[in-house]
Amino acid sequence: AVEPRFLTRLCCGRPSRHQPRVAMASRVRAHGAQAPKDTQLLAGGRPGVLGIRREDKNKWERRAPVAPKHVRALVEQGLKVIVQPSTRRVFTDREYEEAGAIIQEDLTECATIAAVKEVPIDLLLPNRTWIFFSHTIKAQPAGMPLLDAALEKKVRLVDYECITETGQRGGPRLVAFGNFAGYAGAIDFLRGLGERFLALGYSTPLLHIGSAFMYSSLEEAQRAVAMAGEAIRRNGLPPALCPFTAVFTGMGNVTQGSLDIFKLLPHEIVDPGDLSKLAETGHASSEDCHKLFLSITTAEHMVRHKRGGAFDKAEYYTRPDQYESVFQDTILPYSTVIVNGMYWDERFPKLFGHDDLHRHVVSGNDRLLGVCDITCDADGSVPTRQFTSIEQPFFVYNALTDQTTTSLDDPGVLFHAVDHLPSELPREASEHFGNCLLSFLPSLVAARAPQAPGQGDTGSLPLPMRGAVIAEGGQLTREYEYIQQLRAANTRMDQEERGMQEELSKGALHPHGVQVAPACAGLELSGHLFDTKLINKVLDLVEAQHGRVHIQNLDVASTVSDESHLSMLVMAQTQDKLDKIISHIGAAARDVGVAVRRAGSGDGSPAPVAVQKSSLSLSPSQPPRSVLVLGSGFVSGPLIEYLLRRPENSVTVASLDRFEVEAFAQRFGSRVRPEVLDVLAPDAEAAREALVQAADVIVSLVPATMHVGIARLAIRHHKHMVTASYVSEEMQALDADARAAGVLIINEVGLDPGIDHMSAMQMIHHATSGANTKVLRFSSLCGGLPAPEAAGSSPLGYKFSWSPKGVLLAARNSARWRQDGQLQEIAGSNLLANSKPLTLNNALAFDVLPNRDSTAFAELYGLSDAPTFFRGTLRYRGFCDRMLVVSRLGLLEPGPAAALGPLAASGQQPARRQWFAALLGLPCDDDASLRKSLQERIGGAGLSKEQVEMGEEFVGWLGLLSDLPLPASATPLDSPIDVTTALLRRKEMSYLPGERDMVAMYHELVVERADGAVERRTATLIEYAEPNGATAMARTVGLTAAIAAQLVLDDAAPFGIGVQRPLRKEWYEPVLRRLDGEGIRMDERTELLRPPREAAETTPVMLSSGAVEAQSVLAAKL
């Protein structure tokens, strides 16, 4: 019973002072149902609304992805935050409410929902952005149903584990709990040591430390440890426990966290090499009992080279099988406790095993009392037999009996191995986690999850967050496509495992009535395992021989351009079958450029194991191949590196530059032979003939004008040839001679030409595969540019890696293309005035210049009837406006300019303003009059006010309005283009240390299908230079040419003979596939501009292309 005055509060759902504001459930209404929600808005949630899910994986999971203080910051930025109520979470609902959150069960309104642990499939709202630890990126079987649900429900799935500084897997993580695992693990371990020491008969101050979860805060736990430390400092430890040595493995966040806790105790840091000296003193001195000795060990203290060489960190992490553990003999015997926080997988030697513990116990050297294995690898780098729990965090391992017990009173070594330690410190862990995450959330919450691949705002997310998007729009993102292949491989291996067990149970492997282990070998593969589909091929080969595979470790590459590493155990019923499997795997790997080695046997290998102890190549014996590379520029490096991945290849590099060719020999070793040679010099004929005759394939990377002479040599000696340059008329004229000699001369296998041709042909082939498909428009654009962050130092947004004159001459080329069925022609003097804008990926603003004669390629592409066919060059926005002014002022004219004749004849180097005024026929009495005359001259050239201002500014930047002398290289003085070239040779116009270049390519194809549907396809390539490595231009040109050369080396027959371009499927399919394996791939998207209609209603459609815009006007016109 209530008084009437309380009815208002009850009916309106007003909360009391002690209750959070919780959204009310719908009520039955006498005059109809509650107004329906806007289902269209709620289908994918509302942008700007973030949901915080309640954790329910286990009772100890009290963390949250953001704390109340983070909610307050988000609300102040204009976001709405809805938090599911929870009575278990470390932060109360009231704390969140006071920070501005709405507390309610229903998260339907949220476009983005954050959690910590995996979300039950039935609670995974569709069409949302979900961010949590998904445990799917290694194709973990337990996580695959969740991944399937995310794909089916078109969830944009973001994983905290993948948020890194670089946006690439394996980069430094930005959102993690590592330190807190170390904090909690060390606190719990000290508590266990106190109880264990008591069982051994010794009371210590450690007994007064509790488990981490028993404290209300990390600060309180640290205070308890510090109090124990004060007692040790004052009263000491029992002499029988001293010197107390604590050894820490690794230098990561986990180890740093555990070290921070141990350093609250009185301590001294000692070098690992000094541990044995501490132990040799017998019982410690009185002083030593009042502190702990802490020692940090890294890989160099844990292993040694098998052949006795010096420790090499880079080699150890790439070829760990070349090293063996010494930890068990140099560190373990002198350790009281070991805190293991380092990364480890099965490629690496173990620190110590059960046998090592047993050996030391039997010899009486059982100093080790405890192991805190925070990494929790079952029987991994240390012999952890089982995982423990927060409720029961310890077990004791008896090395004499090989048994474990949970009683801390029993003999043995204490082990602590809890695998979810950060949840013991939920408040601080959540606050730290939210601090890391906070800056990324607004951009993630700003829009709905994309409902189709490539749509939405994912491309505009911050790089660290963009690289953590595993799936969106019902598909895995590019960097995570490998998951499905790895998953399929895991499934097949599980099936093979079951099949093998069935054979064992039937006695199939019992030839003499006794079960024997199968023949077995360890293999290691390094390379592009997923893009090349090699991992599937390996499984096919093993299955064909009735063998089986056990993957020991898989290190998936951080990007599609990096290499993955696989360690696996291959087993067969007989040694002959095993050898056959290994031979086939080696051949398959060789075909796709993947390195394979037979690993040394390890402790965990079954016996008998047929493993060769030495490291060797598994590639079947191949005849040696020799490649002659003519030219030693930037492109040569990536090309040579690719060719030398095949052990049978050797390379001869010939160039006039001694320093460059010898540098390649020094970089790549004995398989590169340097030759200093003027390639076409008359007096070098004998040397030239000898080099060509000794080669299997010739790769010409010299200037294009020299290719024809080299091609004649190749034809004379019946050698195939590869170039990255356009086919000239002179080269095409050699076709008959090449065919008569049975020689293949493949040209245009670089970037542009090269990748542009092949990707365009593949795109056209796919789009026109249906009957009666009509191509309405095709355009192809490409440019080599500075990366955006490097472009700002140049007013042109351009950097020169070669002579600026070539770029200036290209700005004077005439152009032809077809537009809306009409031939368009532009004289070279008007090229810059006909640029069009293009915005790519909503970020990159370009000018598009017509590129020479596009119509010549329409026939080559099979698009002679296409109404619009265009090829263009990309420059950053503003390049054309500035260069147009330069052109209108006559600064690009080749000369001799009559107005400059007197200056040139004088023999004096004039001031820049004097030379410029003479060129224009203007007085140069003073700066003001020259500027006024300049403005009038530019203004009368039909340019806009903005172009005039930009042009005047650029002329000033060139120094042409100053009294500075012209550069000494500005000759001849009566050639304006040569003087302009000299003025552009400034440091701002060259790549400085640390700056990188970029390659941009863009295709657009519009087709009309027989059913009337009109479809627009685009393909985009954005490639950046490697950090401290090859330029983007060098990689795209060099790798493309190298792949073509390798295909010819392997088998030239499928390609035929004669002078060719890579326009046929035989070329573009394998080359593009291998480029994809190098991380160079066009990102294709398809957009329906007009839906299908009945055939009877179909009418011809002619589209006007208009200006080249990123957002095509075609949809609007249709």
Side-chain angles (χ1 to χ4, degrees):
V2 297
E3 295 181 31
R5 61 193 177 96
F6 290 121
L7 289 176
T8 302
R9 174 177 294 179
L10 288 172
C11 293
C12 294
R14 187 178 303 162
S16 71
R17 289 183 298 113
H18 304 292
Q19 293 176 321
R21 183 170 59 250
V22 178
M24 301 298 292
S26 303
R27 289 192 172 87
V28 177
R29 298 189 174 185
H31 294 86
Q34 185 179 13
K37 295 180 179 179
D38 187 337
T39 55
Q40 183 176 4
L41 276 177
L42 295 184
R46 285 188 173 88
V49 182
L50 171 67
I52 305 299
R53 182 182 177 273
R54 174 180 56 246
E55 300 299 321
D56 50 17
K57 185 170 184 179
N58 60 62
K59 69 180 182 181
W60 293 106
E61 193 49 81
R62 300 185 294 147
R63 291 174 293 176
V66 290
K69 68 177 183 178
H70 306 120
V71 169
R72 180 176 292 106
L74 293 171
V75 171
E76 288 174 353
Q77 295 181 54
L79 301 180
K80 182 177 182 179
V81 181
I82 299 175
V83 177
Q84 280 190 325
S86 173
T87 56
R88 183 180 292 155
R89 192 165 44 220
V90 68
F91 303 107
T92 66
D93 295 344
R94 183 178 182 83
E95 287 179 274
Y96 280 112
E97 183 190 26
E98 290 176 346
I102 295 173
I103 311 300
Q104 68 180 38
E105 191 71 31
D106 186 9
L107 299 180
T108 307
E109 187 181 356
C110 306
T112 300
I113 304 172
V116 176
K117 306 298 284 185
E118 307 96 311
V119 177
I121 291 173
D122 58 329
L123 299 180
L124 194 71
L125 292 177
N127 307 317
R128 299 321 195 264
T129 295
W130 281 89
I131 179 169
F132 52 84
F133 287 108
S134 69
H135 301 292
T136 59
I137 63 172
K138 295 181 181 178
Q140 296 97 315
M144 291 304 94
L146 176 60
L147 181 62
D148 288 340
L151 295 173
E152 180 183 351
K153 296 183 177 186
K154 294 189 175 180
V155 160
R156 175 161 64 180
L157 180 59
V158 185
D159 197 310
Y160 298 126
E161 189 175 351
C162 304
I163 302 176
T164 66
E165 285 183 9
T166 60
Q168 301 172 357
R169 293 186 312 277
R173 286 177 60 181
L174 296 179
V175 182
F177 290 110
N179 287 78
F180 291 90
Y183 296 150
I187 293 167
D188 289 0
F189 186 49
L190 289 173
R191 171 245 162 148
L193 288 175
E195 187 175 345
R196 176 62 176 158
F197 292 161
L198 185 65
L200 295 175
Y202 300 98
S203 176
T204 69
L206 303 181
L207 189 61
H208 305 299
I209 300 174
S211 290
F213 74 88
M214 298 176 179
Y215 300 98
S216 61
S217 67
L218 174 60
E219 183 180 359
E220 187 178 334
Q222 290 171 325
R223 190 179 303 117
V225 175
M227 290 177 63
E230 184 57 34
I232 293 173
R233 181 180 290 108
R234 186 173 58 250
N235 302 319
L237 292 168
L241 298 176
C242 299
F244 191 116
T245 54
V247 172
F248 299 80
T249 63
M251 293 289 289
N253 289 336
V254 170
T255 296
Q256 291 302 319
S258 57
L259 260 174
D260 287 346
I261 297 301
F262 269 77
K263 285 180 178 179
L264 295 172
L265 304 172
H267 66 276
E268 178 183 334
I269 303 294
V270 296
D271 187 87
D274 294 333
L275 290 174
S276 59
K277 298 176 184 176
L278 284 172
E280 288 172 1
T281 61
H283 283 296
S285 66
S286 174
E287 181 183 349
D288 290 345
C289 290
H290 290 260
K291 60 185 175 183
L292 279 66
F293 294 89
L294 312 184
S295 186
I296 305 165
T297 59
T298 56
E300 62 182 309
H301 308 113
M302 302 172 183
V303 298
R304 66 183 173 197
H305 204 287
K306 290 181 177 178
R307 296 194 303 273
F311 176 80
D312 184 314
K313 183 177 179 180
E315 181 188 34
Y316 175 66
Y317 283 103
T318 56
R319 302 185 63 186
D321 66 299
Q322 297 298 303
Y323 290 80
E324 60 188 1
S325 176
V326 294
F327 186 96
Q328 73 278 8
D329 294 319
T330 60
I331 305 293
L332 178 63
Y334 315 114
S335 305
T336 307
V337 298
I338 293 173
V339 181
N340 188 31
M342 72 174 190
Y343 172 81
W344 181 87
D345 62 52
E346 293 191 50
R347 291 175 298 158
F348 298 96
K350 296 185 177 185
L351 297 180
F352 63 96
H354 310 99
D355 292 343
D356 297 311
L357 281 178
H358 183 273
R359 173 166 54 88
H360 289 309
V361 172
V362 170
S363 66
N365 196 13
D366 50 341
R367 179 181 295 272
L368 186 69
L369 298 177
V371 175
C372 180
D373 188 11
I374 304 177
T375 61
C376 284
D377 293 317
D379 206 15
S381 57
V382 299
T384 300
R385 281 293 182 87
Q386 63 193 55
F387 295 154
T388 55
S389 63
I390 293 176
E391 300 98 315
Q392 196 166 19
F394 308 107
F395 70 88
V396 173
Y397 171 68
N398 189 322
L400 293 176
T401 64
D402 198 30
Q403 299 295 315
T404 62
T405 176
T406 57
S407 172
L408 270 61
D409 294 335
D410 291 337
V413 177
L414 179 77
F415 272 79
H416 174 266
V418 176
D419 64 353
H420 50 286
L421 287 167
S423 60
E424 291 198 55
L425 297 167
R427 181 172 293 273
E428 290 83 356
S430 298
E431 289 180 344
H432 167 79
F433 198 77
N435 290 341
C436 299
L437 187 62
L438 183 62
S439 63
F440 300 116
L441 286 176
S443 60
L444 193 66
V445 179
R448 292 191 182 95
Q451 295 307 292
Q455 295 181 358
D457 68 333
T458 298
S460 62
L461 291 176
L463 184 62
M465 187 63 73
R466 194 186 321 156
V469 178
I470 293 176
E472 64 179 13
Q475 290 186 14
L476 294 169
T477 55
R478 179 185 178 189
E479 297 289 354
Y480 296 93
E481 289 175 349
Y482 71 86
I483 293 177
Q484 293 292 29
Q485 291 188 53
L486 182 55
R487 179 183 184 181
N490 289 338
T491 300
R492 288 181 58 180
M493 285 186 290
D494 288 344
Q495 293 171 347
E496 291 169 7
E497 178 83 27
R498 289 193 293 271
M500 182 69 77
Q501 293 302 322
E502 290 176 4
E503 290 184 1
L504 285 169
S505 64
K506 296 174 183 177
L509 299 179
H510 298 201
H512 301 290
V514 179
Q515 179 172 318
V516 296
C520 174
L523 300 185
E524 295 177 359
L525 288 76
S526 298
H528 297 287
L529 309 180
F530 297 98
D531 297 314
T532 61
K533 307 294 189 294
L534 178 64
I535 195 166
N536 305 81
K537 181 68 173 177
V538 167
L539 295 173
D540 289 339
L541 294 170
V542 173
E543 184 178 6
Q545 296 296 322
H546 305 289
R548 69 185 180 97
V549 168
H550 170 65
I551 289 183
Q552 297 172 304
N553 180 72
L554 176 62
D555 181 12
V556 180
S558 59
T559 71
V560 293
S561 61
D562 294 331
E563 293 186 346
S564 297
H565 303 279
L566 171 67
S567 298
M568 63 182 180
L569 216 54
V570 181
M571 290 164 275
Q573 297 177 8
T574 67
Q575 187 64 43
D576 288 343
K577 286 189 175 182
L578 177 65
D579 292 341
K580 185 177 291 187
I581 291 173
I582 291 175
S583 176
H584 289 327
I585 291 174
R590 176 184 60 81
D591 288 343
V592 294
V594 170
V596 189
R597 291 187 305 104
R598 195 164 186 160
S601 60
D603 294 337
S605 303
V609 181
V611 178
Q612 297 180 7
K613 301 269 184 177
S614 61
S615 172
L616 52 89
S617 169
L618 291 179
S619 297
S621 178
Q622 294 291 319
R625 301 287 188 182
S626 177
V627 181
L628 174 60
V629 176
L630 299 174
S632 58
F634 290 132
V635 172
S636 302
L639 179 136
I640 295 169
E641 185 277 329
Y642 184 91
L643 291 173
L644 292 181
R645 295 180 192 176
R646 297 281 285 270
E648 68 271 20
N649 290 347
S650 62
V651 175
T652 299
V653 187
S655 170
L656 194 57
D657 193 315
R658 177 182 297 275
F659 174 80
E660 289 181 344
V661 295
E662 290 181 351
F664 281 129
Q666 184 175 4
R667 173 182 170 187
F668 293 110
S670 60
R671 290 166 60 200
V672 172
R673 174 188 168 195
E675 287 286 343
V676 180
L677 177 71
D678 188 345
V679 175
L680 291 182
D683 59 352
E685 182 176 359
R688 188 167 55 243
E689 296 274 345
L691 289 176
V692 170
Q693 193 167 10
D696 293 294
V697 167
I698 302 165
V699 181
S700 181
L701 300 177
V702 295
T705 54
M706 304 173 71
H707 291 322
V708 172
I710 296 166
R712 291 194 178 103
L713 276 175
I715 292 170
R716 185 187 313 157
H717 293 282
H718 303 279
K719 304 295 182 181
H720 301 311
M721 175 176 162
V722 177
T723 85
S725 299
Y726 282 106
V727 175
S728 64
E729 292 182 3
E730 295 84 356
M731 181 68 81
Q732 189 62 51
L734 296 177
D735 180 62
D737 292 342
R739 292 180 180 276
V743 169
L744 167 64
I745 301 178
I746 176 63
N747 305 267
E748 304 185 11
V749 282
L751 170 67
D752 176 6
I755 296 176
D756 59 342
H757 288 337
M758 293 182 283
S759 57
M761 292 304 298
Q762 181 171 266
M763 188 179 186
I764 294 166
H765 173 75
H766 290 164
T768 59
S769 56
N772 300 320
T773 299
K774 182 189 300 182
V775 174
L776 304 177
R777 168 185 172 83
F778 176 79
S779 67
S780 176
L781 318 172
C782 185
L785 300 159
E789 73 276 6
S793 60
S794 161
L796 291 178
Y798 195 84
K799 301 265 183 176
F800 300 107
S801 56
W802 53 300
S803 172
K805 188 173 181 178
V807 177
L808 300 184
L809 288 171
R812 294 175 47 84
N813 289 329
S814 60
R816 303 173 76 221
W817 73 94
R818 197 166 53 246
Q819 181 172 317
D820 300 331
Q822 301 296 317
L823 183 65
Q824 306 291 320
E825 295 188 81
I826 293 177
S829 58
N830 288 321
L831 181 72
L832 292 162
N834 283 270
S835 68
K836 303 297 180 183
L838 168 70
T839 302
L840 204 58
N841 292 352
N842 295 322
L844 298 172
F846 294 121
D847 288 335
V848 178
L849 285 166
N851 186 3
R852 303 198 185 190
D853 186 2
S854 297
T855 61
F857 293 92
E859 184 175 353
L860 291 173
Y861 287 11
L863 299 180
S864 299
D865 297 330
T868 296
F869 188 96
F870 177 86
R871 282 167 55 87
T873 300
L874 295 174
R875 295 288 182 259
Y876 279 121
R877 189 77 53 82
F879 175 94
C880 291
D881 286 339
R882 291 179 174 87
M883 290 300 296
L884 177 60
V885 172
V886 169
S887 176
R888 291 288 189 259
L889 292 173
L891 289 166
L892 301 185
E893 296 300 320
L900 296 172
L903 283 178
S906 70
Q908 301 294 320
Q909 201 73 355
R912 300 186 188 195
R913 181 167 61 179
Q914 181 187 1
W915 178 89
F916 186 45
L919 172 68
L920 300 180
L922 299 173
C924 65
D925 300 333
D926 58 72
D927 181 71
S929 60
L930 180 59
R931 284 182 182 275
K932 182 178 179 181
S933 301
L934 173 63
Q935 291 170 354
E936 292 173 353
R937 179 68 62 90
I938 301 175
L943 305 178
S944 69
K945 180 181 178 181
E946 183 181 5
Q947 287 174 319
V948 170
E949 292 175 350
M950 293 173 65
E952 183 182 356
E953 180 185 355
F954 185 54
V955 168
W957 182 85
L958 288 172
L960 290 173
L961 302 178
S962 75
D963 290 324
L964 291 171
L966 285 173
S969 60
T971 58
L973 287 175
D974 59 354
S975 173
I977 194 170
D978 287 299
V979 173
T980 304
T981 296
L983 293 172
L984 286 171
R985 286 197 174 103
R986 295 171 54 163
K987 67 177 184 178
E988 300 98 315
M989 302 300 296
S990 300
Y991 286 97
L992 302 176
E995 291 185 338
R996 57 179 185 158
D997 73 322
M998 176 187 79
V999 163
M1001 185 178 290
Y1002 178 76
H1003 299 324
E1004 183 184 57
L1005 178 68
V1006 179
V1007 297
E1008 182 184 23
R1009 304 201 176 282
D1011 60 2
V1014 176
E1015 184 179 270
R1016 174 176 177 262
R1017 296 188 177 209
T1018 62
T1020 308
L1021 169 69
I1022 303 292
E1023 182 73 14
Y1024 293 98
E1026 296 175 326
N1028 302 314
T1031 66
M1033 183 64 70
R1035 285 192 77 241
T1036 50
V1037 176
L1039 288 175
T1040 307
I1043 290 169
Q1046 189 62 62
L1047 289 170
V1048 173
L1049 281 170
D1050 289 341
D1051 186 6
F1055 308 112
I1057 54 177
V1059 176
Q1060 296 188 22
R1061 298 177 175 90
L1063 302 177
R1064 294 181 291 120
K1065 184 163 60 173
E1066 290 81 3
W1067 278 115
Y1068 64 71
E1069 283 190 347
V1071 174
L1072 291 177
R1073 184 170 59 249
R1074 295 193 183 193
L1075 282 171
D1076 195 349
E1078 302 296 323
I1080 300 172
R1081 177 171 71 173
M1082 302 288 284
D1083 180 20
E1084 296 191 14
R1085 300 185 182 186
T1086 302
E1087 175 187 2
L1088 188 64
L1089 299 182
R1090 185 175 68 194
R1093 62 173 181 266
E1094 294 298 325
E1097 299 176 357
T1098 301
T1099 57
V1101 177
M1102 182 66 70
L1103 300 176
S1104 176
S1105 59
V1108 183
E1109 296 283 357
Q1111 300 301 321
S1112 175
V1113 298
L1114 293 172
K1117 290 180 178 293
L1118 286 168

